[in-house]
Amino acid sequence: MKVLVTGAAGFIGAQVCKALTGAGHEVVGVDAMLTAAHGDATTPPEGVLEVDVRDASGIASLLPGVDVVCHQAAVVGAGVDASDAPNYGSHNDYGTTVLLAEMFAAGCDRLVVASSMVVYGQGGYDCPVHGPVDPLPRTQKDLDAGVFEHRCPVGGEELRWRLVGEDAPLRPRSLYAASKTAQEHYALAWAEATGGSVVALRYHNVYGPMMPRDTPYSGVAAIFRSAIERGEPPRVFEDGGQMRDFVHVTDVAAVNAAAVAADTTGFAAFNVCSGRPISIMDVATKICAAREGQPPVVTGQYRSGDVRHIVADPAAAAVVLGFRAAIDPTDGLREFAFAPLRG
């Protein structure tokens, strides 16, 4: 098949192109080469065209003959402050609407879109007394007092995290999350209106070689790495007990290849995760141990809008797409401690 990959020069997009080419597909890659993603690199790598998905004519010129669009292009990260909102809305949401419109005009009816775990908001929780509950957001008073776990809205009991399935409500709690939720909604509406097929891949914490090194938009694993390389201990927010799922970029590329090849109809969303939950403290500790750096420091500090736990159920991707992550975070983080990063 002929596949158009947006964000093809990015951390994830480059690996997706590699996986698709290896699977025998003809790949056309485009990237806007944003500074936030590529730093000082101003020209795309060989084989990638410098095209912004918001450029309707540029995208339209590439769509004839394309069977599937694999849409990775996005501004990522939780954002610095509210002034980032137009940037997320422009690149992630307006860019997606332009792409969808041009796909319709070209008769291309299959889309694989990179979504994110952040669409779930606070994640899933069980009360030992009242069962599954939807906790209220954590208060500043509790956070300042070092009370980081959610409490039951009925009886005040401390809640336990549970795996989140794809049928969980979408409740974004950051600018990035709002933009990814809107992106999914546009894609769903497009599929309903056109009869097209959309696979939304909800990535969890993606890490691996060539991850952006240390910006306000970088992933936490890269930020820990950068601290160690500066001779500093990684600084862990809250008490380090936040649970996440870290999935290696080569596994993310593999699920994209599976989604491109899958025979799906309508709109379908899938968690993309390792299925092996790990705490943020454990992530920092593993990277420190591999690099023989100073042990992480628990700061007790917190960031407004951060969620306590968000861990996904990988079952649907295994059943429908045949995808199971191959790399255990324990092995992957050990390798990541020495992997090359983007400046």
Side-chain angles (χ1 to χ4, degrees):
M1 287 186 287
K2 186 175 183 180
V3 185
L4 174 65
V5 178
T6 70
F11 163 51
I12 295 174
Q15 290 289 339
V16 170
C17 289
K18 183 178 178 181
L20 291 172
T21 301
H25 299 293
E26 178 186 352
V27 175
V28 179
V30 300
D31 200 293
M33 300 304 296
L34 300 178
T35 301
H38 302 288
D40 295 334
T42 56
T43 57
E46 184 178 355
V48 177
L49 304 172
E50 187 170 355
V51 178
D52 192 318
V53 292
R54 298 172 298 176
D55 175 6
S57 61
I59 289 295
S61 68
L62 299 171
L63 280 169
V66 168
D67 300 294
V68 187
V69 174
C70 195
H71 185 31
Q72 307 295 316
V75 173
V76 302
V80 176
D81 55 41
S83 66
D84 277 339
N87 195 36
Y88 285 112
S90 176
H91 286 282
N92 297 359
D93 301 330
Y94 176 67
T96 297
T97 63
V98 170
L99 177 63
L100 292 170
E102 296 308 323
M103 287 177 64
F104 173 69
C108 179
D109 62 358
R110 294 192 59 211
L111 175 71
V112 176
V113 59
S115 185
S116 171
M117 62 160 185
V118 296
V119 300
Y120 295 126
Q122 297 179 125
Y125 296 87
D126 288 323
C127 173
V129 176
H130 302 100
V133 295
D134 183 20
L136 296 174
R138 298 180 296 172
T139 67
Q140 182 176 341
K141 179 180 178 181
D142 280 347
L143 294 170
D144 286 342
V147 178
F148 299 118
E149 296 294 348
H150 284 288
R151 299 285 176 174
C152 178
V154 180
E157 296 86 358
E158 184 173 303
L159 301 182
R160 298 183 296 238
W161 60 267
R162 59 181 167 84
L163 299 181
V164 178
E166 289 84 353
D167 58 351
L170 306 189
R171 293 174 175 166
R173 290 178 51 79
S174 70
L175 296 174
Y176 175 59
S179 75
K180 298 307 283 187
T181 303
Q183 191 179 48
E184 281 201 23
H185 287 164
Y186 278 117
L188 169 60
W190 175 86
E192 292 283 342
T194 66
S197 167
V198 175
V199 173
L201 299 174
R202 293 173 180 165
Y203 301 161
H204 283 248
N205 293 72
V206 185
Y207 71 100
M210 302 311 294
M211 193 175 185
R213 179 175 292 277
D214 191 5
T215 77
Y217 310 95
S218 295
V220 67
I223 293 173
F224 290 161
R225 257 282 304 271
S226 295
I228 295 168
E229 290 174 351
R230 292 192 302 267
E232 303 170 1
R235 295 173 60 81
V236 177
F237 286 168
E238 301 188 14
D239 60 0
Q242 309 94 304
M243 296 300 294
R244 298 292 190 271
D245 191 302
F246 280 72
V247 58
H248 198 274
V249 68
T250 57
D251 281 323
V252 174
V255 76
N256 274 275
V260 164
D263 183 18
T264 59
T265 59
F267 178 93
F270 299 96
N271 290 322
V272 176
C273 55
S274 72
R276 304 168 182 91
I278 187 171
S279 73
I280 293 298
M281 185 64 179
D282 205 11
V283 171
T285 300
K286 289 182 185 302
I287 296 174
C288 286
R291 294 290 301 240
E292 298 183 351
Q294 299 180 56
V297 172
V298 175
T299 67
Q301 297 173 331
Y302 61 89
R303 292 182 298 188
S304 177
D306 272 3
V307 299
R308 178 60 177 173
H309 308 296
I310 177 70
V311 182
D313 187 343
V319 172
V320 179
L321 302 179
F323 167 75
R324 293 174 177 80
I327 300 177
D328 188 297
T330 297
D331 300 324
L333 288 167
R334 188 182 303 115
E335 173 233 62
F336 175 73
F338 298 94
L341 301 180
R342 296 191 184 206

